[in-house]
Amino acid sequence: MLWSGCSDDSVPLYGTPQVACELDHMWSDECGTTSNIVCTDTYYCKDKVVCFKQYEGKNATFDCRDELGNKTTYTEDEFNSLYYVESERIH
């Protein structure tokens, strides 16, 4: 019999477990409501990747860098399939 226990890591149906991140939230009431306001959230992830979620109007992209400075850009859906915020996680 196969046993599946509880853990802090989320495992998508296919692929690898999501990585936990801590969020440094830089937000104002104007973020996401007007196209000329740019806001940024910073995610410090346990795989030593730092991501900056940038809002331009209602669109968001994730500019991520690993510890060697390699850059990857994700859409919001791509980021959410790889990472989660520990404080926002529903257990």
Side-chain angles (χ1 to χ4, degrees):
M1 179 176 195
L2 202 29
W3 173 254
S4 178
C6 297
S7 74
D8 287 338
D9 292 330
S10 174
V11 180
L13 188 56
Y14 302 102
T16 59
Q18 290 175 297
V19 176
C21 302
E22 292 183 19
L23 171 61
D24 183 6
H25 195 53
M26 301 294 290
W27 186 257
S28 71
D29 291 338
E30 295 83 22
C31 293
T33 60
T34 58
S35 60
N36 60 348
I37 302 291
V38 177
C39 301
T40 302
D41 289 339
T42 305
Y43 295 79
Y44 300 95
C45 302
K46 290 190 176 182
D47 61 356
K48 299 185 181 178
V49 169
V50 177
C51 295
F52 304 95
K53 181 178 183 180
Q54 299 188 5
Y55 300 89
E56 294 187 32
K58 295 184 179 186
N59 298 320
T61 58
F62 289 81
D63 178 19
C64 300
R65 289 182 175 79
D66 66 15
E67 61 188 340
L68 299 176
N70 298 313
K71 179 182 171 185
T72 305
T73 301
Y74 296 111
T75 65
E76 192 160 14
D77 288 340
E78 291 170 334
F79 180 84
N80 290 335
S81 72
L82 299 170
Y83 297 97
Y84 69 94
V85 177
E86 287 182 300
S87 62
E88 295 177 5
R89 171 92 187 223
I90 298 172
H91 295 283

